[in-house]
Amino acid sequence: MTDQHYLPAMGRHWLLPLYDPFTRLARVGRVHGQLLDRADLRPGQRVLEIGCGTGNLLTALGRRVPGIEAVGIDPDPAALRRARRKAARRKLPIRYERAFAGNLPLPDAGFDRVLSSFMLHHLDEEERGRALGEVRRVLRPGGEFHVIDIDATPSGTGRMHRHPLVAAGVPERVLAAMEEAGLTGVAQNGRDKARFGAYAFYRAEK
C-alpha cells in the first residue's frame, strides 16, 4: 500500500461508526439483494468485491449462497476490521484484504464475478479507468462485472449534485468508462430510487 488518497465510506474517517446504521436506515440491504439477483451467483464460484467497506454486501452473499469463495478489498483498514468481525461472528469464509481497486494484489483471470456497490463514484476519472482495467484483468473469460452506483442524472427540478465525483456518476459516463477498459456486453440493467436518491445497475463481461 502507498499513501494514495481515498474517500472513506461516509466521506470522513470519524463518521465510519455511523455507516452501518445509515445503510440500515436507507434500506441498502434491499438494494444489495437486487444486485445479487442480477449477478446470478452459484456455489463454487469465486467472487471479488472492490470497495467492500464494512462488508455488508459480501455478508449478504455468504448467507444467501453457501459454498462461494469471496474476497473483499478496500483501502480503509478501519472498515476492513469491521468487515472481518462480521464474517467471524457469522462463520462466513470471506477473505478481506487492504488494497486499492486500481492495483489489485490478485492473479489474472481468477474470478467468476466482480461486484461493486456504491464505490465507483468515489474514484476520479483516471483512477476509475485503472480500477476497471483491473476488473477486466482479474475476471475469467466469460466472467461478469456487476455494479450498483449512484445515478447522478439531474432530476426534473434541475437539481445537480455538488460534489464533482458524484456529479460524474451519470450512466453514459459509467458505460463509456467500462467500454474503454475493454469490457464487453456493457449495459445499464436497472434503475430505482431509495431514501438516499437514485441509483443504477450496470453489467459487463470479459
Side-chain angles (χ1 to χ4, degrees):
M1 293 289 294
T2 67
D3 292 329
Q4 181 179 339
H5 172 75
Y6 63 90
L7 185 66
M10 290 289 288
R12 297 286 187 275
H13 290 285
W14 62 271
L15 290 174
L16 182 63
L18 301 178
Y19 180 73
D20 284 340
F22 168 78
T23 58
R24 287 193 293 271
L25 182 64
R27 299 178 181 173
V28 174
R30 179 181 68 88
V31 182
H32 283 165
Q34 293 175 308
L35 179 64
L36 296 176
D37 288 343
R38 286 165 168 78
D40 187 27
L41 297 156
R42 299 181 298 277
Q45 291 180 324
R46 296 195 74 219
V47 178
L48 169 68
E49 183 187 3
I50 55 172
C52 63
T54 63
N56 291 330
L57 177 61
L58 290 185
T59 298
L61 169 59
R63 299 174 75 174
R64 175 191 279 217
V65 189
I68 277 185
E69 184 179 347
V71 178
I73 68 97
D74 199 278
D76 188 340
L80 290 172
R81 284 194 293 270
R82 290 173 180 265
R84 290 176 183 129
R85 285 198 295 267
K86 289 176 186 175
R89 283 197 302 268
R90 296 167 176 82
K91 296 181 171 57
L92 297 174
I94 304 170
R95 189 173 92 243
Y96 290 105
E97 297 185 12
R98 188 176 182 224
F100 286 94
N103 186 19
L104 297 174
L106 299 166
D108 295 355
F111 292 90
D112 301 287
R113 298 286 187 273
V114 178
L115 308 177
S116 174
S117 172
F118 297 108
M119 189 279 286
L120 286 184
H121 71 274
H122 285 219
L123 309 179
D124 63 27
E125 185 174 356
E126 182 178 353
E127 182 62 15
R128 183 172 61 183
R130 283 195 293 266
L132 294 174
E134 283 288 84
V135 167
R136 183 182 183 279
R137 180 182 67 79
V138 302
L139 274 173
R140 291 171 175 162
E144 299 175 6
F145 181 39
H146 291 269
V147 179
I148 185 171
D149 206 10
I150 291 171
D151 182 350
T153 303
S155 66
T157 63
R159 181 174 174 269
M160 299 284 289
H161 289 274
R162 285 186 281 182
H163 195 290
L165 293 180
V166 176
V170 293
E172 54 266 31
R173 294 183 69 171
V174 175
L175 295 169
M178 289 183 180
E179 291 179 342
E180 288 170 9
L183 293 163
T184 61
V186 173
Q188 180 181 344
N189 61 342
R191 187 180 189 274
D192 207 340
K193 288 184 178 180
R195 292 177 176 177
F196 54 83
Y199 56 91
F201 296 93
Y202 306 93
R203 72 173 308 280
E205 301 171 3
K206 179 174 178 179

